[in-house]
Amino acid sequence: MASKKASNKRQRGAQKSCSNVFSMFEQSQIQEFKEAFGCIDQDRDGVIKKQDLKETYGQLGKLNVKDEELEEMLNEGKGPINFTVFLTLFGEKLNGTDPEDTILAAFKLFDPNGTGFVNKEEFRRLLMNQADKFTAEEVDQAFALAPIDPTGNIDYKSLCYIITHGDEKEES
């Protein structure tokens, strides 16, 4: 009896997590994701597999995709990629930004005096030479959104807000 109860609890938990992913999107977005899923699921069996990805890439003109690259994509799903998993992966990617306070704490490491600013050129150097190295183009893209004062300092508190809430200029 206890094992049946535990099994039912696991099933309810699985249902709850599935329903949560659907609540992350508007109905029109879910429909668009269904259409995209249908385009990728070439054999229409409800699961995206390596052959589906190969055929999709082929239709897009990219014929020599490495198996390792395809397997890496499939491994992001940590199991068969049905529509719910597909939607979950997109939800994680679209909503995967760290909370504002986490991003602020990271910036504060580069601001020992607590001014709320970091030097643009010093920050550029760090981004291009430390950890996950950015390219010059990636840094330029990031700085395009950054509020930079005339002396070359980034207002990282405002930047954190833009990262987590969007740029008002983009939305208008």
Side-chain angles (χ1 to χ4, degrees):
M1 185 75 170
S3 64
K4 186 175 180 182
K5 196 174 188 178
S7 174
N8 286 343
K9 191 173 186 177
R10 277 193 302 273
Q11 287 174 344
R12 281 194 306 274
Q15 288 172 344
K16 187 176 181 181
S17 68
C18 291
S19 65
N20 286 345
V21 71
F22 287 95
S23 68
M24 293 171 61
F25 300 103
E26 294 177 19
Q27 193 59 41
S28 62
Q29 292 174 303
I30 293 171
Q31 187 57 40
E32 289 176 16
F33 283 121
K34 278 184 185 175
E35 290 173 21
F37 182 85
C39 290
I40 298 168
D41 182 20
Q42 298 285 312
D43 61 6
R44 305 286 186 254
D45 68 348
V47 178
I48 296 175
K49 295 177 291 309
K50 189 182 339 181
Q51 189 59 36
D52 294 320
L53 291 175
K54 255 185 193 174
E55 290 176 24
T56 301
Y57 270 111
Q59 289 177 350
L60 296 171
K62 189 170 181 183
L63 303 174
N64 53 356
V65 182
K66 295 178 183 170
D67 279 351
E68 299 82 36
E69 189 177 343
L70 299 173
E71 288 169 15
E72 190 176 307
M73 286 181 206
L74 292 171
N75 287 337
E76 284 189 45
K78 296 173 181 48
I81 300 180
N82 60 23
F83 180 68
T84 303
V85 173
F86 182 78
L87 198 58
T88 301
L89 290 171
F90 271 95
E92 289 171 356
K93 296 286 183 192
L94 295 173
N95 297 313
T97 305
D98 288 321
E100 189 171 356
D101 59 338
T102 302
I103 298 170
L104 272 172
F107 271 106
K108 286 179 182 176
L109 295 173
F110 303 104
D111 181 20
N113 298 327
T115 63
F117 293 89
V118 293
N119 180 271
K120 174 185 167 186
E121 292 310 316
E122 175 63 12
F123 199 59
R124 172 186 295 278
R125 187 187 67 72
L126 291 169
L127 288 172
M128 294 177 68
N129 293 300
Q130 303 291 320
D132 293 337
K133 295 177 178 75
F134 280 50
T135 65
E137 184 180 319
E138 290 169 329
V139 172
D140 290 341
Q141 286 175 344
F143 285 175
L145 289 175
I148 302 171
D149 71 14
T151 61
N153 292 310
I154 300 170
D155 176 354
Y156 66 80
K157 291 177 182 177
S158 295
L159 180 59
C160 289
Y161 184 87
I162 291 168
I163 291 169
T164 56
H165 297 93
D167 187 7
E168 291 141 15
K169 290 178 276 187
E170 285 181 353
E171 294 170 8
S172 49

